[in-house]
Amino acid sequence: GAVVSQHPSWVICKSGTSVKIECRSLDFQATTMFWYRQFPKQSLMLMATSNEGSKATYEQGVEKDKFLINHASLTLSTLTVTSAHPEDSSFYICSASEGGSYGYTFGSGTRLTVV
Amino acid sequence: EDQVTQSPEALRLQEGESSSLNCSYTVSGLRGLFWYRQDPGKGPEFLFTLYSAGEEKEKERLKATLTKKESFLHITAPKPEDSATYLCAVQVNQAGTALIFGKGTTLSVSS
């Protein structure tokens, strides 16, 4: 089945630094990728949608200058958290879709802790 | 506004005690309803997709059903390894749009 690889699984960074999270579709071409954030005991909240070669579409309230999304190829999307602060600590999950009636495959998530 | 509501928020069962989880939705145009399982610290794992009222799908001890307003995830004779958070999500309007998730039901099965 479809597999999405997300790295790193967890990362600890100092306040003010930037962190990059990678999301790769291993056996299919992802026309669309989605980035979610999940707080403890909460559901997945959509942050942004990205299509290969296009600028990402951010949800209301998500700072595009803080959460930089790049979808340079059909198999790779990256999320960079710039100038991270403790309130950015969360569980970030990517999802990829081949489009049409195909399903959505999720990565294993990245636990970000900003100290 | 499109909305997905799951109940109960948490459910504790004894091993072998069957039950059902509910997912009710209010959306403008349902294309598909998805069920996922999520273990702590991991991403959601796909279980089922349902597309039309009356549709049913089964996988081992799980069975998902769909009506025009809600979906049920029936768990028959659960085992401790079925303990997880079960997420319901809907795809609306057009293909390729992001899923809208409910808050999930956390299931605990004790032996």
Side-chain angles (χ1 to χ4, degrees), chain A residues 35-104:
Chain A
W35 288 94
Y36 293 85
R37 181 164 55 181
Q38 186 177 35
F39 292 105
K41 298 190 177 182
Q42 297 291 317
S43 190
L44 281 72
M45 298 299 295
L46 180 68
M47 298 176 65
T49 301
S50 72
N51 293 291
E52 184 263 341
S54 303
K55 287 186 177 180
T57 301
Y58 291 82
E59 294 300 297
Q60 192 171 11
V62 177
E63 301 174 59
K64 61 178 69 176
D65 293 331
K66 175 178 243 335
F67 299 100
L68 301 179
I69 292 172
N70 184 284
H71 192 166
S73 76
L74 284 171
T75 59
L76 174 65
S77 178
T78 60
L79 167 67
T80 302
V81 183
T82 63
S83 186
H85 291 286
E87 56 265 31
D88 298 324
S89 298
S90 188
F91 192 55
Y92 293 87
I93 307 173
C94 70
S95 173
S97 171
E98 289 182 84
S101 297
Y102 295 101
Y104 300 76

Side-chain angles (χ1 to χ4, degrees), chain A residues 1-63:
Chain A
V3 177
V4 171
S5 175
Q6 184 173 344
H7 292 282
S9 297
W10 59 270
V11 57
I12 301 174
C13 71
K14 291 185 177 181
S15 187
T17 62
S18 296
V19 173
K20 180 183 284 188
I21 302 170
E22 285 193 354
C23 179
R24 293 181 183 272
S25 56
L26 298 185
D27 49 4
F28 67 99
Q29 293 186 324
T31 54
T32 308
M33 285 190 172
F34 308 92
W35 288 94
Y36 293 85
R37 181 164 55 181
Q38 186 177 35
F39 292 105
K41 298 190 177 182
Q42 297 291 317
S43 190
L44 281 72
M45 298 299 295
L46 180 68
M47 298 176 65
T49 301
S50 72
N51 293 291
E52 184 263 341
S54 303
K55 287 186 177 180
T57 301
Y58 291 82
E59 294 300 297
Q60 192 171 11
V62 177
E63 301 174 59

Side-chain angles (χ1 to χ4, degrees), chain A residues 32 34 36 38 41-44 46 49 91 93 97 99-109 111, chain B residues 31 34 36 38 41-46 49 51 87 91 94-104:
Chain A
T32 308
F34 308 92
Y36 293 85
Q38 186 177 35
K41 298 190 177 182
Q42 297 291 317
S43 190
L44 281 72
L46 180 68
T49 301
F91 192 55
I93 307 173
S97 171
S101 297
Y102 295 101
Y104 300 76
T105 304
F106 285 81
S108 55
R111 170 72 59 194
Chain B
R31 287 188 59 91
F34 296 74
Y36 288 88
Q38 186 178 27
K42 298 195 175 180
E45 175 189 341
F46 173 76
T49 308
Y51 294 103
L87 298 169
Q91 179 192 35
Q94 59 188 38
T97 55
L99 295 178
I100 300 171
F101 281 87
K103 292 186 176 181

Side-chain angles (χ1 to χ4, degrees), chain B residues 50-63:
Chain B
L50 302 167
Y51 294 103
S52 57
E55 190 174 359
E56 300 183 352
K57 288 190 177 175
E58 287 189 67
K59 179 182 179 181
E60 296 180 357
R61 295 178 292 282
L62 300 176
K63 177 179 167 182

